[in-house]
Amino acid sequence: MNPVWLDHYPEGVPATIEIDPELSLDKLFDRSIEQFAERPAYSCMGRTITFRRLDELSAAFAAWLQSQGITKGSRVALMMPNILQYPVCLFALLRIGAIVVNVNPLYKARELQYQLNDSGAEMIVVAENFAHTLEKVLEKTQVRRVILTTIGEEMGFKGLIIDFVLRHVTKKVESFSLPNAIYFTDVLNRGRRMKLTPSENTSSDIAFLQYTGGTTGVSKGAILTHGNLVANLLQVLAWVKPFINLDERQIMITPLPLYHVFSMTANCLLMMAIGAESVLITNPRNIRTMVREIGHYKFSIITGVNSLFNALLNNADFRKLDFSNLRVSLGGAMALHPAVCKRWREVTGTPLSEGYGLSETSPGAIINRLDADGTGSIGLPLPSTEVVLRDEKGNDVGIGEVGEICIRGPQVTRGYWKRPDETERAKTADGFFLTGDMAVMDECGRFTIVDRKKDMILVSGFNVYPNEVEAVALTHPSVLECAAIGIPDERTGEVVKLFVVKRSPTLTSEELIQYCRVNLAAYKIPRQVEFRDELPKNTIGKVLRRELRQPASEEDV
């Protein structure tokens, strides 16, 4: 019996995709280099590299890596914003079978140290603007070599004036000392004199460790294989074909960071596969600079999150741009607001659609038609993707009934790096991945999220786990107990709110927030602190976060 959603697929989208078990990301890369050699591949800050140039640069970098003992299975961390060096490094690692460990460059020292040690990364490529963080923990990790990249000076040619870039594009370079570091341009110069020996990757080989969290609050590396990513690319390509002519050269705006799984797959890997140009936005928080940059392109695709789309719509210069080539606008990582979707169509003349996925699903799993505005639904399952809703006892629920989204398909992770216990908890006996998101399905097979089973907080598309925030706050000597929850926020979807029982009566919310700022990435920092005499708990002493989420009654006020 066919799933009900197949009857509502866009015309031309197949129920399943055919996957070549021998196809890996590096082989896909080789195909694109051969087919699209002279096309622009990635652009950033007014500079562009073609597919041929991407081939040459990544080959040089890969050859140098091999000379340093980086081989198939080695883990290498990438800690950069959206700059041209990122795709060069990414494809170099894939070509030699190394495993990419994406790292948020805004991580604090504690967060960085944990991820480097958990992944076992032995080398890291880091933008020098963030090297001071690495300096604090380097000796406590297994990393034996550091490659520094420079924002504003891209692989031998100068981009914008450095001072302008540092003031308007990304954060200022802070002083640091990394004696064993080597600059990226020096690596390329050395690598050009070396010979690359490509790896023979298979679909089962690991391509990425994409770090995410869980109900325990412990960050885990989701294992994404070449097969997982290739499958997801083919699934998404099948979905977009009815809406965009893939035989024509496409230009995609890439404001979300490539270290985030949504952007990595959709904006980096997918655009590579179809010979499109991905315009990398280094700092999308600077809307004025972003609008000025994308104004140079007649772009056909743009991805983002609700807060970014809203900010663009509120910019007068953005509303004056030429949208005549725009065909696909896709939001993910956080829910789209219907009001933003309505304004987007009014301004651009095109719909703003929504998709759904997780790091563990590479990430695409469920998506709306690309000719339909976001209306609160996350859409229909992609081809070759099975989705069921199950109750707490593991039973399937019917149409209109609430159940946990469970996903099975070729894009789903085989598990978590070095965490068999977490892997076992995340999957059902029949192989479905438990997402922790609660949803309902309508009679057409469309899914709508209604709640979150996990305590995870979603800030601008990034996962924040309460246990991590609480663990940091509890190290403050004036905090006796605390509990973190997510509360609605018009700009970011949710923000962190911290409930605290004081150990010292002199503790202020400002002091505690500043303390958290030193140990947590910006999006994890509590925006509100509420002091309580006690926290609600169950009979075994566990804090009941659900009660903290409930608004106070009149008797409590």
Side-chain angles (χ1 to χ4, degrees):
M1 180 178 177
N2 284 334
V4 62
W5 55 76
L6 295 181
D7 294 333
H8 301 276
Y9 263 19
E11 186 176 352
V13 176
T16 59
I17 55 167
E18 293 185 13
I19 303 174
D20 180 354
E22 300 302 316
L23 187 57
S24 57
L25 290 172
D26 54 299
K27 293 184 179 71
L28 205 58
F29 177 77
D30 290 341
R31 286 185 187 178
S32 291
I33 296 300
E34 183 177 350
Q35 187 175 355
F36 309 116
E38 303 309 322
R39 282 190 184 182
Y42 297 92
S43 297
C44 183
M45 302 181 201
R47 296 294 180 177
T48 299
I49 53 175
T50 62
F51 279 87
R52 185 185 302 282
R53 180 71 167 154
L54 179 62
D55 177 32
E56 295 168 355
L57 293 169
S58 62
F61 186 55
W64 181 85
L65 288 171
Q66 287 181 324
S67 76
Q68 300 297 302
I70 300 298
T71 59
K72 187 172 183 176
S74 298
R75 278 84 67 201
V76 177
L78 302 183
M79 187 176 177
M80 292 172 277
N82 286 359
I83 54 178
L84 292 177
Q85 291 98 324
Y86 180 92
V88 172
C89 294
L90 178 82
F91 291 113
L93 293 170
L94 295 176
R95 295 177 84 167
I96 62 175
I99 299 171
V100 179
V101 181
N102 280 314
V103 177
N104 185 338
L106 297 179
Y107 271 168
K108 300 298 183 181
R110 181 190 61 83
E111 299 163 310
L112 176 59
Q113 179 182 336
Y114 172 81
Q115 188 165 324
L116 292 177
N117 284 334
D118 188 77
S119 65
E122 53 188 285
M123 192 173 288
I124 185 171
V125 186
V126 58
E128 65 174 0
N129 305 64
F130 310 96
H132 64 283
T133 306
L134 177 62
E135 179 189 15
K136 297 174 184 176
V137 303
L138 186 60
E139 293 183 354
K140 304 172 186 175
T141 72
Q142 302 172 50
V143 174
R144 55 183 176 83
R145 201 68 193 265
V146 177
I147 302 101
L148 293 167
T149 65
T150 305
I151 298 174
E153 190 175 3
E154 310 285 355
M155 291 156 292
F157 53 73
K158 286 189 178 290
L160 303 179
I161 299 173
I162 301 299
D163 286 343
F164 174 84
V165 174
L166 297 182
R167 282 189 282 112
H168 297 283
V169 178
T170 188
K171 69 179 293 183
K172 185 178 180 180
V173 175
E174 297 185 25
S175 61
F176 62 90
S177 175
L178 293 168
N180 197 33
I182 182 172
Y183 275 91
F184 188 74
T185 49
D186 293 331
V187 168
L188 292 181
N189 289 334
R190 297 181 188 186
R192 289 187 181 100
R193 300 191 292 269
M194 300 173 180
K195 181 177 176 58
L196 167 65
T197 304
S199 175
E200 291 296 324
N201 296 315
T202 67
S203 61
S204 61
D205 287 326
I206 302 174
F208 295 87
L209 293 183
Q210 195 67 26
Y211 273 76
T212 182
T215 55
T216 63
V218 177
S219 185
K220 308 182 295 292
I223 297 170
L224 299 182
T225 65
H226 284 261
N228 289 147
L229 272 303
V230 168
N232 207 220
L233 295 182
L234 296 176
Q235 290 168 317
V236 175
L237 280 173
W239 193 263
V240 303
K241 278 182 179 179
F243 306 101
I244 194 165
N245 186 352
L246 296 179
D247 293 328
E248 297 177 352
R249 187 173 77 86
Q250 306 299 326
I251 299 177
M252 186 180 212
I253 303 300
T254 302
L256 299 184
L258 294 176
Y259 58 77
H260 190 284
V261 68
F262 176 27
S263 187
M264 180 190 75
T265 299
N267 297 67
C268 186
L269 298 178
L270 183 63
M271 293 304 98
M272 173 274 295
I274 66 173
E277 178 180 2
S278 186
V279 180
L280 307 181
I281 306 301
T282 305
N283 182 12
R285 290 174 295 179
N286 190 324
I287 297 297
R288 184 187 304 175
T289 301
M290 175 179 169
V291 171
R292 186 185 302 124
E293 188 164 357
I294 67 178
H296 297 299
Y297 301 89
K298 294 191 71 173
F299 57 93
S300 51
I301 311 171
I302 185 171
T303 59
V305 294
N306 185 81
S307 53
L308 176 65
F309 292 127
N310 189 48
L312 289 172
L313 291 169
N314 289 329
N315 181 278
D317 291 333
F318 176 78
R319 297 195 296 270
K320 297 174 185 176
L321 295 181
D322 180 0
F323 301 108
S324 58
N325 276 17
L326 184 59
R327 297 292 179 270
V328 173
S329 303
L330 182 64
M334 63 185 292
L336 292 176
H337 293 182
V340 173
C341 297
K342 182 175 182 293
R343 286 189 64 207
W344 186 266
R345 183 183 279 272
E346 292 170 353
V347 170
T348 70
T350 59
L352 178 55
S353 301
E354 182 173 353
Y356 169 84
L358 309 97
S359 296
E360 293 91 342
T361 59
S362 301
I366 302 173
I367 191 170
N368 276 281
R369 292 178 60 103
L370 298 180
D371 57 356
D373 292 310
T375 57
S377 167
I378 56 174
L380 308 170
L382 284 167
S384 293
T385 303
E386 300 174 75
V387 178
V388 296
L389 300 180
R390 289 180 174 168
D391 60 23
E392 293 184 354
K393 296 180 180 179
N395 299 315
D396 291 1
V397 302
I399 291 174
E401 296 180 343
V402 177
E404 182 177 2
I405 300 176
C406 305
I407 301 171
R408 186 169 64 185
Q411 75 272 47
V412 176
T413 179
R414 70 186 187 206
Y416 296 112
W417 181 253
K418 300 192 303 184
R419 299 196 186 280
D421 53 338
E422 292 281 357
T423 299
E424 186 177 357
R425 278 195 289 269
K427 289 195 174 184
T428 64
D430 54 350
F432 280 88
F433 176 75
L434 300 167
T435 67
D437 289 317
M438 310 299 289
V440 295
M441 185 185 77
D442 67 15
E443 63 279 358
C444 297
R446 289 188 297 260
F447 291 83
T448 300
I449 293 178
V450 297
D451 198 2
R452 190 173 296 128
K453 185 177 181 181
K454 298 177 181 177
D455 289 322
M456 183 184 73
I457 304 163
L458 201 60
V459 180
S460 293
F462 289 93
N463 296 346
V464 179
Y465 295 89
N467 286 21
E468 181 182 13
V469 178
E470 294 161 5
V472 168
L474 283 168
T475 63
H476 191 291
S478 296
V479 174
L480 179 63
E481 289 183 309
C482 65
I485 67 167
I487 60 173
D489 181 82
E490 185 174 331
R491 187 176 64 87
T492 61
E494 287 184 311
V495 293
V496 178
K497 180 175 181 178
L498 192 64
F499 293 84
V500 176
V501 177
K502 296 181 183 182
R503 188 186 300 275
S504 168
T506 61
L507 178 65
T508 65
S509 58
E510 293 78 11
E511 177 187 350
L512 186 54
I513 289 172
Q514 182 58 37
Y515 183 82
C516 291
R517 197 180 304 280
V518 176
N519 294 286
L520 293 168
Y523 62 93
K524 301 178 184 178
I525 297 167
R527 293 298 184 264
Q528 293 184 26
V529 174
E530 181 177 322
F531 294 110
R532 294 273 185 98
D533 292 332
E534 61 181 13
L535 299 178
K537 299 173 183 175
N538 63 13
T539 54
I540 62 172
K542 182 179 179 180
V543 174
L544 300 174
R545 291 195 185 101
R546 65 176 181 272
E547 291 193 12
L548 294 173
R549 296 189 191 97
Q550 296 173 356
S553 65
E554 293 183 3
E555 295 179 355
D556 296 328
V557 176

